[in-house]
Structure formats: C-alpha cells, structure tokens
Amino acid sequence: SQQGEEDPQALSIQEGENATMNCSYKTSINNLQWYRQNSGRGLVHLILIRSNEREKHSGRLRVTLDTSKKSSSLLITASRAADTASYFCATDEEDSNYQLIWGAGTKLIIKP
Amino acid sequence: NAGVTQTPKFQVLKTGQSMTLQCAQDMNHEYMSWYRQDPGMGLRLIHYSVGAGITDQGEVPNGYNVSRSTTEDFPLRLLSAAPSQTSVYFCASSYSVGTMEDGQFFGPGTRLTVL
C-alpha cells in the first residue's frame, strides 16, 4: 500500500526559483527518505530525516518533518535545469519489517 | 565499485514464458530488494532479503520467486509471464537491515514488456 503521498503531482518552475514538494504519510515512522529519479533511470538517495529530527540540510536541499501532522517537505533552492526529475518520499514505518513504503512522486520540471 | 547492476536492460516476453532478472551488488550489502514501478505510481516491493539464505515477500509477490544464495546476487524469477507484469523492475540494496538508516542504492532498472 502507498503510505507516502506527494503533493503536487507535477511542478514546473523557472531556473533559479525554489521548488517545494510535500509528502504526507499515515503511520508512525522511524525515518523518512527522499529520492530523485531522472527519466528512465534508477533512484538516487538524497536525504534521510529521522523521526526525532525536525529539519535537515544537504547542499541546496532542505527537508522538514512534522510528525504531529505526519508530513514532510523537500525544498530545493536556486533550482537548476539538472534538477528536472521525479522526486519520491519513502517512509520506514516503525513496524515495517524491513520495508520502505513509497509515494507516487512529484515530477519537477525546471524551465531555462 | 560497480554498485548495483541489473541485466538485461530491456526484455520482451510472450505470455506464459519464464525468465530471470539478474541483480548483483559489490558493496557487501546485507539487504537487497526488488521493486516494480508502473506509470504514475511509486515503487511497490516484490520481495526482499536481509541476508544470504533469507528472503521474504513484499507487497506484490504473486507470480515472482527469489533466492539469495550469496550476499552479492539476488535474482528475480518470473514463473509464467502475464501482461500485468509489464513494468520497470528495480533492484536495490543497502547496508543496514534494522532501521533502513542508510538509504538504498538502486540499479538502472529492467524494462519488461509481456505480450
């Protein structure tokens, strides 16, 4: 079953602007992870935030986690054409038995 | 390191045929998994393994078998292909088993079409 739900499904912005994607989930988690998938390729792990963390940074990426609302956001600052990709959140549920649960993804297009 | 490798990259099967998708990793990861990705959807877990000799079912295991005889290899076998198995298949691996803390490393995928 799909736990993570990304919002929006698609996002198109100008190069240089910031892009924000959101992920909601349903149950208690150990951590939440964000991945990027370029067209036709495998997924690449971007960043992981643990359930006891509220915010995490990695380069131009900023992730927040609100466990009370069961939601997370991924912010990409100063977007570049190379950021064009689909972005997925995945949750490690507390009782997941070694399974990540994936959302359907946000398709991000950066216009030059 | 080659990371996670998958073969073949593309495959066309006829209904009823069987085949094996190969996956190998050279990072000494204990955890390996197989996902399928259908258009407009996230990944769905087919089978996973927490170590050599140990496998378990994921969300959508029907029609697929796996084995894990070595740490490096985790092949996925389609028993009798059906059009509903047309999809892109990804193999992934990770260091940790307990809390999935390190993120997963993905192969490039196998695009399978069943006619």
Side-chain angles (χ1 to χ4, degrees):
Chain A
S1 60
Q2 301 279 331
Q3 160 150 264
E5 295 184 5
E6 283 94 340
D7 168 54
Q9 289 185 327
L11 179 62
S12 181
I13 61 173
Q14 293 293 138
E15 194 168 20
E17 293 180 339
N18 295 341
T20 299
M21 289 158 273
N22 302 297
C23 172
S24 60
Y25 58 93
K26 298 174 183 173
T27 63
S28 296
I29 61 173
N30 295 314
N31 63 67
L32 185 145
Q33 306 177 24
W34 286 92
Y35 289 77
R36 182 187 73 233
Q37 183 180 33
N38 292 92
S39 181
R41 299 196 175 185
L43 283 75
V44 175
H45 182 251
L46 294 176
I47 195 167
L48 178 151
I49 187 164
R50 296 182 180 87
S51 60
N52 62 353
E53 297 176 314
R54 291 298 167 258
E55 186 171 316
K56 202 163 184 179
H57 296 255
S58 177
R60 293 184 296 111
L61 305 180
R62 172 177 169 253
V63 171
T64 61
L65 180 65
D66 187 335
T67 53
S68 66
K69 294 181 179 179
K70 292 186 169 56
S71 67
S72 173
S73 67
L74 171 68
L75 169 67
I76 304 173
T77 60
S79 62
R80 305 168 181 169
D83 295 327
T84 293
S86 291
Y87 292 81
F88 294 88
C89 69
T91 51
D92 174 18
E93 297 179 350
E94 284 186 351
D95 299 319
S96 66
N97 197 28
Y98 315 132
Q99 302 185 39
L100 287 179
I101 307 299
W102 297 80
T106 292
K107 187 168 185 177
L108 175 64
I109 296 173
I110 308 299
K111 296 179 287 186
Chain B
N1 286 350
V4 180
T5 58
Q6 291 183 237
T7 56
K9 291 185 177 179
F10 300 94
Q11 184 69 49
V12 178
L13 292 178
K14 295 181 179 178
T15 297
Q17 288 185 316
S18 63
M19 78 158 295
T20 300
L21 308 185
Q22 301 292 342
C23 174
Q25 52 89 11
D26 61 358
M27 298 173 282
N28 202 31
H29 286 174
E30 289 298 320
Y31 184 92
M32 296 186 74
S33 56
W34 275 102
Y35 293 97
R36 60 177 288 172
Q37 184 178 35
D38 299 299
M41 298 182 69
L43 301 178
R44 291 187 291 170
L45 184 65
I46 304 171
H47 286 284
Y48 64 96
S49 169
V50 299
I54 306 170
T55 63
D56 207 345
Q57 297 180 352
E59 180 186 356
V60 289
N62 291 342
Y64 308 94
N65 273 354
V66 292
S67 60
R68 184 97 180 267
S69 57
T70 67
T71 299
E72 295 78 18
D73 300 299
F74 191 44
L76 176 73
R77 183 165 180 82
L78 278 70
L79 307 174
S80 177
S84 61
Q85 293 179 305
T86 294
S87 188
V88 181
Y89 291 84
F90 290 101
C91 179
S93 70
S94 64
Y95 280 115
S96 62
V97 173
T99 59
M100 311 289 289
E101 284 265 332
D102 302 305
Q104 295 194 359
F105 292 78
F106 280 79
T110 294
R111 188 173 297 271
L112 175 69
T113 301
V114 183
L115 303 176

